[in-house]
Amino acid sequence: MSKRRQQHKQPKAYYSQGQVVGDRHDQRELRGIQQEVNAQKASNEKYKLDLFKPSARQQDIVDAIDQYDWVGVQAPSGCGKTTTVVWKALSLLGKGYRKIIFVKNPTEAGDDQIGFLTGGESSKLEPHFDSMRGVFLDFMNKGKLESDEKNLNIQFKIPNFLLGATLSDAIVILDECQTYSPNTLKLLMERVDDSCKLICLGDKNQQYSVKKRKDGFTDLIERLTDVDGQGRYSVEPLFKYIELSSNENKRGAISKCVTEIYSD
């Protein structure tokens, strides 16, 4: 047998800064270890909650969440209602609540048609929740959010995927409730048990649905509130209603003007 045939093929060496660091299998293992280290580091990072300070009216939302397990917030665009609620929800995570479930309807189709989109749950979620991830990214980096999603501490959902489920130990945020049909909003609210907080956000002056029907948020508020000389108030002891006006618009002069001229 020739010497050439007796020779064993040597594994290909990899170098880092001039030093041999092993073959490709070692490199794969090292990359896996580094990914685990990075994931653990991201998981242990704290939320940057000191970056946000609620205004006086936003503090009313925070106080309502502290005092009630079911809160409804009517506020025009630009008032920071979603930012305020996400900020408060993050501060409560791990303090009796294991997860935040953020639900938003795909506005271009309406809640009754999302089930007809092609693909699985993840592919349906992505186009609709990237902008909502932006709210969470105000308080954490991308790695932390990815870690929390992987660990199911933060979940983004489409309404249809929650129907039939029971939600426990969660802060459930139903965003843009005016885009839900009354029946869909009812079915979603029925999912929570007594270990949850349920927060419904909406603006009766923002209508996206292609459906010619009453929006779920207006229907909910009419069922749970009444009006006197001082404004709208809750008639249901379990429910706290908060209403912000266009004066609370923090986005800018144009946005504030638009909300005012299109308000009822």
Side-chain angles (χ1 to χ4, degrees), residues 52 55 57-58 61 73-84 244-251 255 259:
F52 176 75
S55 67
R57 292 294 285 127
Q58 289 169 342
I61 300 174
V73 181
Q74 155 64 38
S77 175
C79 290
K81 57 184 178 293
T82 304
T83 298
T84 302
L244 276 62
S245 71
S246 59
N247 290 333
E248 299 299 319
N249 190 314
K250 310 298 182 184
R251 190 166 290 156
S255 177
T259 59

Side-chain angles (χ1 to χ4, degrees), residues 41-157:
K41 181 180 178 181
S43 179
N44 292 334
E45 288 183 0
K46 296 185 180 300
Y47 303 121
K48 303 172 182 177
L49 300 180
D50 58 340
L51 299 178
F52 176 75
K53 182 176 177 56
S55 67
R57 292 294 285 127
Q58 289 169 342
Q59 186 62 45
D60 289 341
I61 300 174
V62 173
D63 293 342
I65 295 172
D66 279 331
Q67 298 168 21
Y68 293 81
D69 289 333
W70 188 11
V71 177
V73 181
Q74 155 64 38
S77 175
C79 290
K81 57 184 178 293
T82 304
T83 298
T84 302
V85 169
V86 168
W87 176 81
K88 180 58 180 176
L90 290 171
S91 75
L92 293 175
L93 201 56
K95 300 175 182 178
Y97 304 96
R98 296 187 293 108
K99 53 186 175 283
I100 297 171
I101 300 176
F102 194 97
V103 186
K104 186 179 180 184
N105 208 28
T107 56
E108 78 282 4
D111 51 288
D112 297 328
Q113 294 188 11
I114 183 61
F116 294 99
L117 295 179
T118 59
E121 179 177 358
S122 295
S123 62
K124 291 178 180 180
L125 283 170
E126 289 302 322
H128 307 296
F129 287 91
D130 280 345
S131 62
M132 290 300 99
R133 286 190 175 96
V135 179
F136 285 80
L137 289 172
D138 286 340
F139 305 110
M140 68 191 80
N141 60 39
K142 185 178 180 181
K144 173 63 173 172
L145 180 55
E146 289 176 349
S147 175
D148 278 8
E149 287 191 62
K150 181 178 180 181
N151 295 328
L152 302 181
N153 296 327
I154 297 174
Q155 302 175 28
F156 297 95
K157 295 292 183 181

